[in-house]
């Protein structure tokens, strides 16, 4: 039998293929699996992914593309034998059955090898499919099978899944994220898309690779206006898309499934009972499940048995239905769809169906009765309504205003709010509309009366003394106030304080989705300031920015999404990323913000782009370093002026400090740059922004050649105090005449000690200074407690009143202050013998606050736990289970023991103890679930027991222990766990609920 070489030759990636780092990273997990299975519909990029993995994998590759002609086992054996012989010339031949194939492969494969099987669906239900299963099941450890298929093979996948030998990738893994769409059109196709078109294309195609390529083919060399019209036609009217869907999707369906999809497409959202009533039949649920199994662009929504079709396919099916149905019939069916969807509570889908039926009375009734619910949810449906309809109903006007606001079109939002307010009758609804309009207006008008609540608190933090807002909002039960606290600390440059504050909001189940997603974006920005300059794409900041962008995009918050994408470009040093990418994307984003009246977005984008330019390595500017510095200085000066005009001088101070740093690097040291740096430092200090102060001090160091080393040390100390990384190493400075010395600003915090330090807080306090363990018995109990309290908050400052309250709760402030001085003096003397008060580098004071100063090379287990928590959550979000497993294990290793057990039930330690206990409990649950997914039930049970040592009251851990023990066949442990959990519930007065656990497993 003659076999074309294309069926046994590895797919080579062409120039028009985007190497996606996110998917390329799969190769790190590839060789720990027996089978890597990629299952997704046509056109999702399966073959391209196989080619990318082959390109980066360090292994011998055997490539086999299945075909219908291989249905009989003998045929597939002949093709595979030829493919193996090309890679292993000495392989035994004449394969007659699976046994021959396995023996030959085992004897020949003596090094890491990939058997790549493309188009596996061609063998569905054939003897060849069963033969391949035997080969996979009996392959040697050095062979990994990488297979791609449109439908899952009929193999016993559960066996490999439980054994941890199956790596699965699906349609969501292959879906192009918005930043990947941006890179595809900018770097591969060479036709960058404006942000609006980029967002619309990503939304309409849902990241479908073929849809993106077909759009590119249809719009090559076309003007922007025509590309936009093509984007509007994508799906229902674009000929090449229709041809692709007909040939590769619709024609492959059995007749019953094809008819079912066409007849139900006007529902938008599908559910078995709804479809049965709509079609006057039964059995729709089974058809939906079969469509999902076939991976034919039908996705489960995960609740209530609801499904939906991919947007491009649904639009095509609607066009097919309308083309073949009579106009009156189509109108009636849309109206019936609207009634069924309305009755099921799917109001936005019902509204769209009524609009397509042109049933304006039903539209008016639905908006009148369900207006608040429609305008409070995700608002993408607003863009699909006829513009004239939006002028007829006040609730639709309000929804349009909120849609504009979410997308960052602030000028249009203010106009739409005014229209809605005038159309609404006086009352609570009109007041709510007026409040939202006033808040939006006040955000861009610094002369407006201060806003109430959390928005007013945020505006105040951006005007002056941001840390006051941090201390006010940090302990609040309101997630919005805690987010303001985190944003205030971030604006001040206090990254070390901002990150935990924002993390509590991002993980708070009581926070609204929008607030949680915004907190994740701010957290990614804080991570970036702590990580720059960055390396690979999978840093904490990059993963956080990606996750934030996805969430914000799903919520329809386009204004914040584009900032998340810009941030992601800034912190990613990979394909399509890095500072060079953000410098290219920045001007487009700023132009879009300016057009939409989003002055905040434009200013913050300028600040990000300016920071990116300063972080670029020397010599990358097209005209040299000086030209790069001039561009960055001009950009940052504009951003500083805009932020000042918006009433945000705290952020303006940061932009101004970065601008003077860029100016120094462009023009060198001079009297002018030195004077400007001193003014920037003074302004930052006055506004209470140590982050801006650190940058300005760095600029002053580069401008003052006489005191450069001393000033650079001060900048490093300030940066360490804040927890941020200063913008890149300075490029080679132009030659300059030394500047006459002038007054040097006094350091805000003392220089750090070079001695190594290690602090342990979990399981008992210990301190290592200068390589030697500190003898805690050398100081009195109050001094030991003060040291532990400072260590608990290190490297942050602790106000003296907090120390006094913890150490002497019953004395007056004056007496407590005197006592504190004695305690601090004794600690300094014990930690650094012979050092005077002003010379101490470990216990330092600023105003009325003290802190334990940690050198750069210090380690503290509490901060290590915080970092592990950040990595674990980012890795779980990204689906990187190996990285998540390592981080979760580290959390348990470090924090399973009690925090500062010496301090018993003291109130000052309880909140932190509770927080870390919750982190340990959560880590144990996540790690146990990962072990269960991997099929290692005994490891899952061990982790659950370990977590229960730290948190005996965790319901989830008890249930996981019973489930894992039962799965492992450990009946004794499962029985003991049920009994002990019943005792726990009885102790809480909940003994009646213990019987629920008896059904677990």
């Amino acid at each position: 039998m003659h076999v074309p070489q294309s069926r046994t030759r590895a797919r080579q990636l062409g120039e028009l293929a985007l190497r996606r780092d996110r998917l390329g990273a799969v190769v790190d997990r590839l060789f720990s699996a027996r089978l890597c299975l990629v299952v997704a519909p046509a056109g999702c990029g399966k073959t391209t992914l196989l080619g990318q993995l082959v390109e980066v994998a360090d292994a011998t590759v055997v490539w086999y593309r299945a075909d219908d002609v291989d249905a009989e086992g003998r045929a597939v054996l002949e093709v595979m034998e030829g493919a193996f012989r090309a890679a292993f010339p000495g392989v035994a031949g004449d394969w007659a059955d699976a046994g021959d194939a396995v023996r030959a492969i085992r004897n020949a494969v003596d090094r890491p090898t990939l058997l790549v099987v493309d188009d596996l669906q061609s063998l569905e239900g054939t003897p060849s499919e069963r033969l391949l299963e035997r080969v996979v099941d009996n392959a040697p450890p050095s062979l990994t099978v990488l297979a791609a298929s449109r439908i899952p093979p009929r193999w016993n996948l559960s066996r490999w899944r439980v054994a941890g030998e199956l790596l699965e990738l699906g349609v969501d893994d292959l879906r192009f994220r918005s930043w990947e769409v941006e890179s595809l059109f900018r770097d591969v196709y060479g036709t960058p898309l404006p942000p609006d078109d980029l967002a619309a294309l990503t939304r309409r195609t849902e990241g479908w690779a073929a849809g993106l390529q077909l759009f590119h083919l249809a719009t090559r060399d076309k003007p922007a206006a025509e590309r936009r019209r093509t984007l509007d036609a994508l799906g229902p009217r674009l000929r090449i898309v229709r041809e692709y869907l007909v040939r590769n999707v619709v024609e492959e369906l059995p007749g019953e499934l094809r008819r079912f999809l066409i007849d139900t497409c006007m529902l938008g959202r599908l559910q078995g009972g709804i479809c049965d009533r709509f079609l006057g039949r039964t059995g729709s649920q089974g058809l939906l499940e079969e469509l999902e199994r076939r991976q034919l662009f039908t996705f489960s929504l995960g609740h209530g048995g609801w499904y939906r079709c991919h947007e491009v396919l649904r639009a095509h099916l609607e066009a097919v239905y309308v083309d073949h149905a009579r106009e009156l019939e189509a109108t009636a069916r849309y109206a019936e769809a609207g009634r069924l969807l309305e009755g099921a509570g799917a109001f936005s889908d019902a509204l769209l169906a009524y609009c397509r039926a042109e049933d304006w009375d039903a539209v008016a009734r639905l908006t009148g009765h369900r207006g608040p619910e429609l305008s409070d949810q995700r608002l993408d449906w607003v863009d699909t309504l006829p513009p004239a309809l939006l002028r007829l109903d006040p609730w639709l006007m309000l929804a349009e205003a909120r849609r504009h606001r979410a997308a960052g079109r602030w000028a249009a939002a203010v106009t739409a709010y005014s229209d809605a307010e005038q159309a609404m009758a006086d009352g609570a609804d009109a007041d709510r509309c007026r409040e939202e309009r006033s808040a939006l207006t006040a955000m861009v008008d610094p002369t407006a009366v201060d806003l109430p609540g959390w928005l007013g608190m945020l505006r105040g933090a951006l005007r002056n003394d941001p840390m006051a807002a941090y201390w006010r909002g940090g302990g609040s039960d309101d997630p919005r106030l805690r987010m303001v606290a985190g944003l205030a600390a971030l604006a001040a440059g206090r990254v070390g304080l901002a990150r935990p504050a924002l993390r509590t909001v991002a993980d708070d189940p009581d926070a609204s989705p929008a607030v949680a997603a915004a907190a994740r974006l701010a957290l990614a920005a804080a991570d970036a300031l702590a990580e720059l300059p960055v390396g690979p794409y999978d840093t904490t900041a990059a993963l956080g920015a990606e996750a934030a962008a996805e969430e914000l995009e799903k919520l329809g918050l386009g204004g914040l999404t584009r900032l998340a994408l810009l941030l992601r470009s800034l912190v990613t040093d990979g394909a399509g990323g890095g500072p060079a990418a953000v410098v290219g994307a920045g001007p487009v984003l700023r132009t879009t913000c300016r057009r939409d009246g989003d002055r905040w977005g434009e200013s913050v984008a300028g600040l990000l782009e300016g920071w990116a330019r300063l972080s670029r390595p020397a010599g990358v500017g097209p005209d040299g370093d000086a030209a790069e510095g001039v561009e960055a200085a001009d950009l940052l000066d504009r951003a500083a002026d805009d932020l000042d005009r918006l009433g945000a001088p705290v952020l303006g101070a940061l932009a101004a400090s970065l601008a003077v740093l860029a100016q120094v690097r462009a023009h060198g040291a001079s009297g002018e740059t030195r004077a400007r740096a001193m003014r920037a430092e003074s302004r930052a200090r006055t506004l209470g922004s140590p982050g801006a102060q650190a940058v300005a001090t760095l600029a002053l160091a580069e401008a003052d050649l006489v005191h450069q080393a001393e000033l650079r040390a001060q900048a490093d100390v300030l940066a360490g105090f804040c927890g941020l990384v200063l913008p890149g190493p300075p490029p080679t400075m132009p030659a300059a005449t030394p500047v006459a010395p002038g007054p040097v600003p006094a350091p805000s915090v003392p220089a750090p000690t070079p001695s190594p330090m290690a602090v342990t807080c979990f399981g008992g306090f210990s301190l290592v200074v200068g390589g030697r363990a500190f003898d805690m018995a050398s100081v009195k109990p109050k001094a030991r407690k003060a040291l532990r309290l400072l260590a608990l908050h290190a490297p942050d400052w602790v106000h003296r009143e907090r120390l006094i309250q913890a150490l002497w709760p019953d004395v007056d402030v004056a007496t407590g202050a005197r006592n504190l001085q004695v305690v601090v003096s004794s600690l300094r003397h014990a930690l650094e013998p012979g050092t005077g008060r002003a010379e101490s580098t470990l216990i330092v004071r600023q105003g009325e606050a003290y802190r334990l100063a940690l050198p750069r090379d210090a380690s503290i287990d509490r901060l290590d736990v915080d970092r592990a928590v950040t990595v674990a959550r980012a890795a779980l979000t990204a689906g990187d289970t190996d990285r998540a497993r390592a981080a979760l294990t580290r959390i348990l290793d470090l924090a399973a023991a009690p925090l500062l057990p010496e301090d018993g039930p003291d109130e000052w330690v309880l909140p932190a103890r509770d927080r870390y206990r919750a982190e340990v409990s959560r880590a144990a649950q996540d790690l146990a679930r990962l072990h269960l997914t991997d099929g290692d039930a005994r490891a899952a049970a061990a982790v659950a027991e370990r977590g229960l040592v730290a948190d005996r009251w965790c319901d989830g851990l008890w249930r996981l222990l019973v489930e894992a023990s039962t799965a492992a066949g450990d009946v004794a442990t499962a029985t003991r766990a049920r009994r002990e959990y019943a005792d726990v519930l009885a102790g809480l007065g909940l003994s009646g609920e213990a019987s629920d656990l008896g059904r677990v497993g």
Side-chain angles (χ1 to χ4, degrees), residues 612-913:
R613 287 181 182 274
L614 281 172
S615 298
R616 294 173 73 175
V620 300
D623 300 316
D625 297 328
E628 185 70 18
V630 169
E631 290 182 21
D634 290 344
L635 176 64
L636 288 161
D637 275 333
R638 290 196 301 273
D641 291 342
D642 289 343
L643 288 164
D644 286 343
R645 282 193 289 270
L646 285 168
V650 170
L651 284 177
L654 177 58
S657 295
L658 289 165
V660 70
L661 178 60
Q663 186 182 48
V664 173
R665 292 182 177 181
H667 301 296
S670 68
E672 179 186 354
T673 54
R674 183 177 181 280
R676 187 177 173 193
M678 291 185 68
R679 289 195 298 272
E681 192 277 339
S682 176
R683 177 189 179 190
R685 187 163 15 93
T686 301
L687 289 170
S689 177
Q693 189 181 351
V695 175
T697 305
L698 176 62
L700 187 57
E702 296 182 14
D704 189 333
L705 302 183
V706 175
H707 300 97
Q708 192 169 71
E710 184 178 357
L711 288 165
R712 176 71 204 211
Q714 291 180 27
D716 287 341
V717 169
L718 274 168
F721 166 63
C722 293
L724 59 82
V725 175
L726 293 170
T732 304
M733 302 294 292
T737 304
V739 183
V744 179
S748 299
V749 289
T753 175
S755 302
M757 176 186 285
V759 183
T760 302
C761 295
F762 292 98
F765 182 81
S766 68
L767 174 66
V768 175
V769 180
R772 293 188 305 169
F774 175 64
D775 182 11
M776 296 295 290
S778 65
V779 293
K780 294 182 178 180
K782 292 292 185 184
R784 295 200 294 268
K785 179 171 285 193
L787 181 58
R788 291 194 296 269
L789 195 152
L790 290 172
L792 179 64
H793 295 281
D796 298 324
W797 297 91
V798 181
H799 197 277
R800 71 171 187 177
E801 291 184 7
R802 192 167 187 179
L803 286 161
I804 292 170
Q805 178 63 31
L807 297 172
W808 304 280
D810 299 322
V811 305
D812 59 81
V813 174
T815 303
R818 290 193 298 271
N819 292 344
L820 183 60
Q821 288 179 350
V822 173
V823 163
V824 169
S825 177
S826 68
L827 271 177
R828 285 171 170 160
H829 177 72
L831 289 168
E832 299 173 278
T835 301
R837 184 183 66 174
E839 301 169 336
S840 175
T841 61
L842 291 181
I843 306 292
V844 296
R845 178 176 177 178
Q846 186 179 64
E848 295 185 344
Y850 295 85
R851 77 183 182 106
L852 179 64
L854 295 174
R856 284 191 176 276
D857 58 353
S859 68
I860 179 166
D861 58 352
R862 181 178 56 81
L863 297 181
D864 289 341
V865 171
D866 290 341
R867 282 189 285 270
V869 167
T870 299
V871 171
R873 293 178 185 174
L876 287 169
T877 300
D880 187 349
T881 54
D882 290 342
R883 195 165 181 233
R885 193 180 293 106
L888 294 168
T889 301
R890 181 155 178 77
I891 294 169
L892 295 181
D893 289 343
L894 290 173
L899 178 72
L900 298 178
E902 301 93 334
D903 295 292
D906 284 5
E907 290 185 2
W908 60 268
V909 76
L910 291 181
R913 194 177 286 160

Side-chain angles (χ1 to χ4, degrees), residues 409-621:
R409 299 186 288 266
W410 287 24
V414 170
T415 301
Y417 269 120
S418 298
D419 293 343
E421 190 179 333
Q422 293 175 12
M424 282 186 173
D426 288 337
D429 296 329
D431 291 341
R432 184 181 178 189
C433 182
R434 190 177 301 110
E435 287 173 5
E436 291 184 19
R437 177 184 57 79
S438 299
L440 185 63
T441 303
M443 287 300 293
V444 295
D445 181 7
T447 65
V449 177
D450 279 347
L451 295 165
W454 68 277
L455 279 175
M457 185 174 162
L458 178 59
R459 286 307 304 267
L462 297 178
R463 286 196 183 102
N464 190 20
D465 193 13
M467 294 310 296
Y470 170 80
W471 294 115
R472 282 173 52 203
S476 172
D477 292 333
D478 188 339
R480 294 172 301 178
L481 293 181
R482 295 204 309 278
M483 183 173 72
V484 169
L487 290 172
L490 183 59
R494 297 290 304 276
V495 177
L497 295 179
R499 295 167 86 185
L502 292 167
R503 192 178 297 115
T504 66
V505 181
D507 296 337
D508 189 344
D510 294 329
S512 70
V515 168
R520 286 190 178 89
L521 171 57
L523 178 58
D527 289 337
L529 293 178
E531 289 181 356
L532 287 172
V534 296
Y537 88 98
D538 59 347
T539 61
T540 303
L543 293 174
E546 288 182 2
E550 283 210 70
E551 288 188 45
L552 291 164
E553 198 170 46
K554 289 176 183 176
L555 292 168
L557 299 175
L560 291 177
T561 301
R562 57 196 182 196
L563 282 179
L565 294 176
L566 188 67
L567 176 63
R568 190 255 174 206
S569 295
L570 167 62
V571 299
T572 302
D573 184 19
V582 76
V583 170
V588 177
L589 175 57
R590 287 185 286 110
T591 299
T592 301
C593 291
R594 192 178 308 121
R595 181 203 67 197
D596 292 342
D598 182 3
R599 295 170 61 192
W600 281 98
E602 181 183 1
S603 302
V604 174
L607 183 60
L608 287 175
E609 183 183 344
W611 194 297
R613 287 181 182 274
L614 281 172
S615 298
R616 294 173 73 175
V620 300

